[in-house]
Amino acid sequence: MSTASPTAPGPRPTAERRVRTIRRTGLSIGVATGLYGISFGALATASGLDVWQAMVLSAVMFTGGSQFAFIGVVGGGGSALGAALASVLLGIRNTLYGLILAPSLPRGGLRGFARAQLTIDESAALAASGTTTEEKRAGFWAAGVWVYVFWNLFSLVGALAGQFVADPAAWGLDAAAAAAFLALLWPRLRSGEAVAIAVAAALVALVTAPSLPPGLPVLAAAAVAVVAGLLPSRHRPVHGSGPRTGDARGAEEEGPR
């Protein structure tokens, strides 16, 4: 008679359930974010772009804040150069996401190209929620692919509808670009320093808007953040200071910045 105990179930089923949950979350994020593409498509065509131009912009640029910045400057009568610079400044954050996600995601070939295209706020956030490489990859691809699909689908719906909207303000679409920027900014206002930079940038934009061509006030406001980033911060740890290595309580109280 065998006395061997039955084999205990391994951690695999739990890991698989977590991956399935992450993928379902990616789908829900894709639908919710994609619906916002209706505003972009409608604003794009109402600002003077045709349907194909709006869709190429959505498919190739594929970063909401940058897209709204582009059509906001163009629709306001600004130059293409000013629109492009505003878009690039807002898209720089995706490069930082890519650096953070690099150890967990492919770098070369078609998958590497797809990864570069799908590195956005949503895919980076869901990837960061994973605890293993498998979960990080599942979160990145689920959010990135579904947001791309639904964003472009609803952008097309909005672009087609925008051709029949004579006055975007009557539908509240003129406020969509500002709402997009606030949605990007609000979660990052977690410290007094961040709030101070945001207020200073807003004041610079308000002061320069009457005198500068459309698009340039955005660049002037962005310059405030660049200058602030170059200045030493009182919250950054000084070499040799901070909690000692063995002081676990001090490390916990310090927490992430």
Side-chain angles (χ1 to χ4, degrees), residues 144-239:
V145 170
W146 285 120
V147 169
Y148 190 87
V149 170
F150 286 108
W151 177 265
N152 283 280
L153 174 63
F154 286 113
S155 290
L156 177 60
V157 172
L160 293 173
Q163 295 180 309
F164 305 98
V165 177
D167 183 13
W171 296 81
L173 295 177
D174 58 323
F181 297 145
L182 288 176
L184 289 171
L185 176 64
W186 188 259
R188 292 163 174 80
L189 299 181
R190 299 177 180 177
S191 67
E193 184 179 16
V195 173
I197 294 172
V199 171
L203 288 175
V204 168
L206 288 173
V207 170
T208 57
S211 57
L212 293 180
L216 293 184
V218 176
L219 301 181
V224 173
V226 173
V227 172
L230 295 176
L231 296 176
S233 172
R234 61 186 179 88
H235 294 294
R236 292 169 192 162
V238 180
H239 182 68

Side-chain angles (χ1 to χ4, degrees), residues 77-106:
S79 65
L81 179 59
L85 289 175
S87 301
V88 169
L89 284 173
L90 285 173
I92 288 176
R93 70 187 189 280
N94 293 340
T95 302
L96 302 179
Y97 296 155
L99 294 175
I100 296 172
L101 297 173
S104 305
L105 298 173

